[in-house]
Amino acid sequence: MVSLIKEVIGIVGAFWIVGVASVTYGETLPMATGEWIPYSSEAMPHYGTFTKRVSTVCSEMGATPDYRFYPWRRCFDSVVKHRVWAAFPYAFTEERAQSVWYSDALSCSKTLFFHYDKEGTSKSYGVTNKEDLKAYRLGGVKGYYYEVFFEKVGLNVDYVNKEIYGLEKLKLGRIDLMPMNEKVGWNLIDTHFPEERHRFKTLPIALSVNTLHLIVSKAYPESKQLLDRFNQAVERCVEKGLLTIDPCQSESGLMR
């Protein structure tokens, strides 16, 4: 009888250990992202360059990513309401950090001011500090990291839902400057306005140079442990040469 009890306890204990292991390792992690070529896109190989980095880290940590492509506002909302574990790519802001955690940096983003030279006159924009922006009509995307900064400076910004709408407003002369990630902006121009590429210009001074991260739910089950494992996996990927993360010159730009 005693031996039978010991056997039952042993079996239960084995199942308990396996159960714990299945929660801790080999899990599927739901993650949200949106269309932000070349960093993330449902139509790109590996779902974009940043997404590929996330996949590399997940493989190193022993997890399987479940990518879900949403509008950007829904991405953030899904993390806060713990419908997904994380979303990406996001630049750090103090406002967001009140609601989510941030992973270690996986990439760098340089945001420039794009403008449109309709007459080919190479108009000069005298922007050397944030106060100079008040002389121009700015565009922007709702919910982006710079929204609070623009509000604090006291800028009048014409917000849109997508960067492409901002480029269209530049062409129509409804705004003077449109802040966009350098790679994202030129990709949109090459895709939608290839014959007018020479008319689009950028200011020499950047709005910002930011690191890009995952934002992570504070309420998702075992989220902190998962984040710790993810960050440890990032470090191992760098050590093994699986990832190269270039340093960001965060001191440059008007938002420094």
Side-chain angles (χ1 to χ4, degrees), residues 82-108:
H82 55 89
R83 293 170 181 156
V84 297
W85 174 61
F88 63 85
Y90 280 82
F92 178 87
T93 68
E94 293 290 348
E95 292 75 22
R96 286 183 187 145
Q98 296 176 18
S99 304
V100 300
W101 289 316
Y102 279 82
S103 74
D104 288 348
L106 287 180
S107 187
C108 195

Side-chain angles (χ1 to χ4, degrees), residues 27 36 47-48 51 100 112 152 172 176 182 197 208 216 223 238 254:
E27 60 281 284
W36 207 49
Y47 298 131
T51 312
V100 300
L112 301 177
K152 288 181 179 178
L172 294 172
D176 301 311
E182 183 177 24
R197 192 184 201 276
S208 65
V216 176
S223 188
V238 172
L254 297 179

Side-chain angles (χ1 to χ4, degrees), residues 122-189:
S122 298
K123 179 181 176 181
S124 177
Y125 288 80
V127 177
T128 59
N129 59 67
K130 60 187 179 183
E131 294 298 323
D132 292 335
L133 294 172
K134 293 180 179 179
Y136 303 102
R137 299 168 299 167
L138 267 63
V141 178
K142 293 178 181 178
Y144 273 26
Y145 73 98
Y146 47 66
E147 194 168 355
V148 173
F149 171 77
F150 286 167
E151 183 178 350
K152 288 181 179 178
V153 177
L155 303 177
N156 185 17
V157 184
D158 184 357
Y159 286 105
V160 293
N161 292 321
K162 296 181 179 180
E163 281 102 339
I164 184 60
Y165 300 152
L167 288 175
E168 290 172 348
K169 289 195 173 191
L170 278 180
K171 279 194 61 184
L172 294 172
R174 294 178 181 174
I175 59 175
D176 301 311
L177 299 170
M178 178 67 191
M180 288 184 291
N181 170 278
E182 183 177 24
K183 294 179 180 179
V184 173
W186 286 117
N187 178 272
L188 285 171
I189 291 167

Side-chain angles (χ1 to χ4, degrees), residues 23-90:
V23 171
T24 308
Y25 293 95
E27 60 281 284
T28 297
L29 297 179
M31 287 187 263
T33 188
E35 292 294 320
W36 207 49
I37 299 173
Y39 294 93
S40 57
S41 174
E42 200 166 8
M44 288 186 66
H46 309 291
Y47 298 131
T49 58
F50 193 94
T51 312
K52 184 178 180 181
R53 287 172 173 261
V54 176
S55 296
T56 299
V57 177
C58 285
S59 178
E60 177 64 28
M61 72 180 281
T64 301
D66 174 18
Y67 297 126
R68 305 174 184 184
F69 284 83
Y70 297 150
W72 287 112
R73 282 183 176 274
R74 185 179 174 188
C75 288
F76 183 80
D77 185 64
S78 296
V79 172
V80 172
K81 295 181 179 178
H82 55 89
R83 293 170 181 156
V84 297
W85 174 61
F88 63 85
Y90 280 82

Side-chain angles (χ1 to χ4, degrees), residues 225-243:
Q225 295 94 320
L226 290 169
L227 177 57
D228 290 342
R229 282 176 50 207
F230 186 89
N231 288 337
Q232 292 164 7
V234 170
E235 186 176 348
R236 293 197 301 272
C237 285
V238 172
E239 292 173 350
K240 293 179 179 181
L242 300 175
L243 286 181

